[in-house]
Amino acid sequence: MRIKLLGGVGLAIIFSAVASAEVPDLETVRSEINQFDLDQTAEVDQTEAYGALSVIEQNGSTNEAIIVQKDSANDGGDAVLTSLIYQTGSDNYASVDQNTDASDDFSNGSLIIQDGADSSVIVSQDGGASDPNLVGVYQGAGSDNATTVYQSGDANITGIAQVGDRGFASVVQTGESNNVVAVQTGQSDNFTADQTGDFNLIGILQSGTGANNYATVTQTGDFNSVIADQATDEGVLSIEQIGTNNEVGGAESAFKQTVNPGNAHIMQVGDYNSLTGIQSGFRTEFTLVQTGDQNSATLDQSGRKGEISLTQTGSLNMAELNQRGRRNTSLLEQNGSANSLFLDQAGTDNLVDIHQSADEAYASVKQESGYDNAVFISQESFGAYATVIQNGHANIATIRQ
């Protein structure tokens, strides 16, 4: 299952799935702890159960909740490990360690809710080759909260929502068909994700009203996807994909960054990879490096003093770019045969510098409704073709073949 949703809808699906999980009545263990005060510790060890449920509620500050669940059903069946932790107050800590490979439908489920500042969550889940793990983490009223999730197995899902400032979230997933959805609505937030395997998805939404939000994503494998929406001042997005048939953005939801200023750095290594993106704001920078054959890039950038830096190395690659605004720059390079480049700029005092090497390169540039624009194209190849259309006055066009 691939959840291509951002925001509250995607998280609601994840949280509902965890909270409604049923533990089989046969051969299960259950525990419930309620603590109301400061400096409390609750520890639950359910390591020999054929399915287990643990619920911990703590009201107060500087509390700890620790759950360890490991099933003993090694011969298949419907064993489920479920943990629910609810903490209110500041400086709280929640840790969950779950390990089972007994169910083909649902293995581990963990839902953690923290309302307060300076709190942290650590979840580690290990499921079987076909056993999905579910994690839902909500950290509400308060700043300086942190969440770390480790999942191994297939069809895992993690949903994280952080409301306060200076939130930190980190997810590591190993396996196939895994999903991460993260929502951060404060300022100075930081999100990192690392996925290894095929058919994985990462969705990021950072929408704080302040500045300095960061998101870093690494995917290794084939047919992986990243959906990102960052709306903040001084935002930075860094995405690295290694493998084939990977995508950033796509037909269902584009990569989107609205920042003043901001940076996006994307690297894709492999064949048949694609980018579909939108970037807007003041002093934005977009850097894309694609290495491999038959890769594609579609980008729309608007604002002032924006810069696009594109490098494609390989054959049969294509880039389609749009820039709208003033004093924008496009530095574009294609190395390989039969590559094509299309650029449309609207505005004044814009600059385009294109370098294409290898045979049968094609470049098309259109600058309209502006003045003081400049285009420089260098094609060092046999069978190259370049076309420039400029509307306005005091424009410059230079082609070298």
Side-chain angles (χ1 to χ4, degrees):
M1 177 174 61
R2 292 167 68 82
I3 299 179
K4 292 209 169 185
L5 297 170
L6 284 181
V9 177
L11 290 172
I13 293 173
I14 296 168
F15 294 162
S16 177
V18 177
S20 63
E22 292 292 336
V23 179
D25 292 330
L26 182 63
E27 297 183 287
T28 64
V29 294
R30 302 165 185 261
S31 69
E32 182 173 349
I33 298 175
N34 295 278
Q35 295 176 321
F36 303 90
D37 213 328
L38 308 177
D39 300 309
Q40 305 284 349
T41 298
E43 294 188 36
V44 178
D45 188 341
Q46 298 168 321
T47 57
E48 295 297 330
Y50 181 80
L53 170 65
S54 180
V55 179
I56 297 176
E57 180 178 357
Q58 295 175 319
N59 295 305
S61 298
T62 324
N63 293 317
E64 292 187 0
I66 301 171
I67 297 175
V68 178
Q69 296 173 317
K70 297 183 180 181
D71 80 83
S72 60
N74 298 318
D75 57 350
D78 295 320
V80 176
L81 303 178
T82 304
S83 68
L84 305 173
I85 298 175
Y86 177 57
Q87 295 175 317
T88 60
S90 60
D91 294 294
N92 290 317
Y93 171 77
S95 172
V96 177
D97 186 354
Q98 296 174 317
N99 187 322
T100 184
D101 59 0
S103 174
D104 290 331
D105 298 318
F106 178 80
S107 290
N108 302 313
S110 182
L111 175 62
I112 300 174
I113 298 174
Q114 291 179 325
D115 279 322
D118 298 294
S119 297
S120 61
V121 171
I122 297 178
V123 179
S124 177
Q125 293 180 325
D126 185 3
S130 60
D131 306 329
N133 299 311
L134 298 179
V135 174
V137 177
Y138 175 84
Q139 292 175 313
S143 57
D144 298 290
N145 293 314
T147 294
T148 302
V149 177
Y150 302 95
Q151 291 178 315
S152 64
D154 299 336
N156 297 317
I157 300 175
T158 291
I160 299 172
Q162 293 178 321
V163 177
D165 296 337
R166 296 180 298 280
F168 173 80
S170 175
V171 180
V172 178
Q173 291 179 323
T174 302
E176 297 185 354
S177 301
N178 294 317
N179 292 263
V180 176
V181 178
V183 176
Q184 295 176 316
T185 60
Q187 60 181 341
S188 299
D189 292 325
N190 194 316
F191 171 79
T192 66
D194 189 326
Q195 289 180 323
T196 301
D198 303 331
F199 301 101
N200 294 317
L201 168 69
I202 296 175
I204 310 161
L205 173 62
Q206 291 180 321
S207 59
T209 57
N212 299 310
N213 288 324
Y214 294 84
T216 303
V217 172
T218 302
Q219 291 179 317
T220 303
D222 303 329
F223 297 97
N224 294 315
S225 300
V226 175
I227 301 171
D229 189 342
Q230 189 181 60
T232 181
D233 294 335
E234 299 183 35
V236 177
L237 277 169
S238 178
I239 299 171
E240 178 179 318
Q241 292 178 320
I242 300 175
T244 63
N245 292 285
N246 295 316
E247 66 176 5
V248 175
E252 296 185 36
S253 181
F255 165 99
K256 185 177 180 181
Q257 190 180 39
T258 306
V259 287
N260 295 289
N263 298 275
H265 307 275
I266 299 174
M267 182 177 71
Q268 294 177 315
V269 179
D271 302 332
Y272 306 103
N273 295 316
S274 65
L275 162 83
T276 303
I278 300 172
Q279 188 183 54
S280 61
F282 173 68
R283 291 178 57 192
T284 58
E285 295 182 9
F286 192 96
T287 301
L288 173 63
V289 177
Q290 291 179 320
T291 303
D293 300 331
Q294 299 191 50
N295 294 315
S296 65
T298 302
L299 175 66
D300 188 299
Q301 186 186 67
S302 61
R304 292 186 297 123
K305 295 185 178 181
E307 179 177 310
I308 298 175
S309 177
L310 167 72
T311 302
Q312 290 178 318
T313 301
S315 300
L316 297 169
N317 294 315
M318 186 275 292
E320 185 174 351
L321 313 172
N322 290 277
Q323 277 187 318
R324 290 169 287 119
R326 296 182 56 192
R327 302 184 68 181
N328 292 317
T329 302
S330 286
L331 306 175
L332 315 174
E333 181 176 355
Q334 290 179 320
N335 302 305
S337 61
N339 292 319
S340 58
L341 180 61
F342 304 86
L343 174 63
D344 191 339
Q345 282 185 331
T348 62
D349 200 18
N350 295 316
L351 171 66
V352 178
D353 191 336
I354 297 174
H355 177 76
Q356 293 175 312
S357 62
D359 296 339
E360 300 179 357
Y362 178 80
S364 173
V365 178
K366 180 187 292 186
Q367 291 178 322
E368 54 187 348
S369 66
Y371 55 87
D372 289 329
N373 295 314
V375 177
F376 301 95
I377 299 176
S378 174
Q379 293 176 319
E380 301 173 0
S381 62
F382 175 80
Y385 182 80
T387 177
V388 176
I389 299 175
Q390 292 176 316
N391 295 320
H393 61 274
N395 296 318
I396 297 173
T398 302
I399 298 176
R400 180 177 180 180
Q401 293 175 311

